[in-house]
Amino acid sequence: MRKITMAASIAVLMTAMLAVRAHAEEFIVGAQLPLTGTLARVGAGMQEGVMVAADVFNRNNGKHKIKIVTIDDESAPAKAVAAVEKLASEGAIAVTGGYGSNNIAPASDAANKLGLPYITSGGVDDSLVNSGRKNFFRINNTAGYEKAVLGTLADMGAKSVSIVFSTKEATSDLAGSVQKALAAKSVKATAHSFDPAITDFKPIVNKIRLQDKSDVILMVGYENDYVGILRAARVLKPPVKALIGVWSLATPKMAAEFPDLMPNVYGTALLPFPATFDTADGKAFAAAYKALYKKEPDYLGQFGYVQSMLLFEAIARAADKGTVKKGGVAEELRKTDRETLIGRVRFGANGDNPNFVHRMAQHQGKNIVIVWPPQNATGKMVYPGTPW
């Protein structure tokens, strides 16, 4: 009789649990991303992370469910605004995504006017967090990239650096900060700006070859810019010892699509490739990523995952308190303070994450190796080392 009673109790409990799952409250979250245009590669990488976060969250949270609605902003500011407005009209309660500060600024302004929390890892321009956007949050910033660049150059012992940078605001700000910091350390830093529309980098690279004769070329731009600079450098072969870039360079996608340009090139990355994880969160991310996309995860996906998971968790907490429609999601994001796959994340009053510090990686053969900071290194840097 006791066994029958226990079996019946278990059956009732399982039925109740299934009923809860069957009636899980669903929330629509918008993903505004550049899936076409000049930023398509990075947008696709971030989207993979967003979708992995939704998959992991939905499998582990029985009370609430996230539905992602994605709109391509085509790498254009006006389309980014239109994407946010359309997402709001389709019932989105928050937005994750965005890439490029010049796209994120107007998009997050639109979200702010609509009362939607907006979270990203794709914009490092400091004006994003200094312009009074009450519902804006980001998990990375210029300071974290600057630390990685400066730390790597210091470990190389570079005495002179040529900084090639796009005139867009975020890239100009980072280039200027790095140049100022290098000058303070008595490192010769020569800056070369270029218009974002430029496609022929040979004049700049030739000037570096004939006049600068620097130890290192630092590229501060985006994927298409890196490809153009590296192609020009491969032809002209300036006598440098290393080529360093920042976001979206040390990725498996770049290695696969431009195998002749990437050898020994450095770029910011939080993950080596192939990736390794030693935390439960990391293992869940990697397993879901491989199941969904049949490949190893990269750091763009990692960023998309972290920003989205923090948002989903905030939505769940607000839902439990009944404050989703009362500004509760943004309020819960402001309370966030936890360890993630990119380190500790907490948001200041302006929505920035003061704990962010990036890492530097290098393309070595078919692998991407973390080389800075030393405590996170998965291998030693090849220096001197160029693609030719």
Side-chain angles (χ1 to χ4, degrees):
M1 177 67 71
R2 184 176 298 175
K3 289 182 178 179
I4 295 173
T5 302
M6 184 177 294
S9 298
I10 292 173
V12 170
L13 179 60
M14 290 181 67
T15 301
M17 290 175 66
L18 288 171
V20 169
R21 287 183 178 272
H23 296 89
E25 189 174 12
E26 183 177 81
F27 296 97
I28 297 175
V29 172
Q32 165 246 319
L33 291 160
L35 301 180
T36 57
T38 58
L39 300 173
R41 285 190 197 88
V42 290
M46 185 181 287
Q47 184 190 37
E48 290 171 358
V50 172
M51 300 309 294
V52 170
D55 179 71
V56 173
F57 180 87
N58 289 338
R59 281 190 287 104
N60 292 303
N61 188 292
K63 294 177 63 178
H64 312 293
K65 184 177 180 180
I66 298 295
K67 178 183 178 181
I68 301 295
V69 176
T70 303
I71 295 182
D72 177 14
D73 66 23
E74 302 177 37
S75 307
K79 296 290 181 68
V81 172
V84 170
E85 293 173 344
K86 183 169 177 56
L87 288 168
S89 72
E90 294 186 8
I93 63 168
V95 178
T96 180
Y99 206 92
S101 298
N102 61 318
N103 296 325
I104 289 171
S108 59
D109 279 339
N112 199 54
K113 290 177 183 177
L114 293 164
L116 301 181
Y118 186 107
I119 190 165
T120 187
S121 58
V124 299
D125 182 353
D126 284 340
S127 69
L128 291 172
V129 292
N130 295 331
S131 300
R133 295 178 176 88
K134 295 181 180 179
N135 294 322
F136 180 83
F137 302 87
R138 71 177 180 191
I139 60 175
N140 56 348
N141 48 47
T142 298
Y145 286 89
E146 182 180 340
K147 290 172 186 174
V149 169
L150 294 174
T152 304
L153 290 171
D155 282 2
M156 288 176 174
K159 301 299 182 185
S160 56
V161 179
S162 293
I163 306 173
V164 184
F165 68 96
S166 168
T167 53
K168 289 185 177 181
E169 193 166 4
T171 46
S172 296
D173 287 349
L174 178 55
S177 294
V178 170
Q179 184 179 25
K180 184 177 180 181
L182 290 174
K185 296 180 179 181
S186 299
V187 175
K188 180 185 176 184
T190 307
H192 303 273
S193 64
F194 62 86
D195 185 277
I198 191 176
T199 57
D200 183 7
F201 288 89
K202 290 189 185 71
I204 291 177
V205 173
N206 201 39
K207 188 179 292 185
I208 293 170
R209 181 175 71 92
L210 298 175
Q211 298 179 13
D212 296 3
K213 299 180 181 179
S214 299
D215 292 334
V216 176
I217 293 177
L218 170 62
M219 304 172 288
V220 188
Y222 299 98
E223 286 183 323
N224 289 349
D225 305 324
Y226 301 142
V227 171
I229 296 166
L230 289 168
R231 280 177 173 161
R234 187 174 176 82
V235 171
L236 296 172
K237 295 181 174 56
V240 297
K241 299 176 182 177
L243 294 104
I244 301 176
V246 282
W247 40 81
S248 313
L249 182 55
T251 68
K253 289 182 181 179
M254 292 295 274
E257 294 184 26
F258 305 101
D260 59 326
L261 300 179
M262 294 301 124
N264 298 320
V265 171
Y266 299 77
T268 51
L270 288 162
L271 281 177
F273 179 81
T276 55
F277 297 93
D278 56 8
T279 65
D281 191 23
K283 290 176 181 178
F285 164 69
Y289 201 111
K290 291 174 184 177
L292 285 174
Y293 297 105
K294 315 303 180 190
K295 62 181 180 180
E296 292 285 336
D298 64 27
Y299 89 97
L300 291 169
Q302 186 178 12
F303 271 128
Y305 176 86
V306 170
Q307 72 191 43
S308 300
M309 187 60 77
L310 294 176
L311 174 60
F312 303 160
E313 291 170 351
I315 290 171
R317 294 196 302 271
D320 289 341
K321 296 176 181 178
T323 61
V324 169
K325 296 182 179 179
K326 303 175 183 178
V329 177
E331 182 180 347
E332 293 301 324
L333 278 170
R334 293 186 192 99
K335 295 177 182 177
T336 295
D337 186 353
R338 77 169 180 86
E339 287 296 322
T340 72
L341 300 187
I342 68 164
R344 183 185 177 193
V345 175
R346 63 183 176 88
F347 298 109
N350 62 356
D352 208 0
N353 173 23
N355 295 89
F356 178 67
V357 177
H358 221 317
R359 299 170 188 172
M360 190 66 72
Q362 185 181 32
H363 288 271
Q364 295 181 5
K366 295 182 179 180
N367 297 335
I368 296 173
V369 178
I370 302 296
V371 295
W372 189 94
Q375 65 268 27
N376 299 118
T378 59
K380 296 182 179 180
M381 65 174 67
V382 176
Y383 182 83
T386 61
W388 55 84

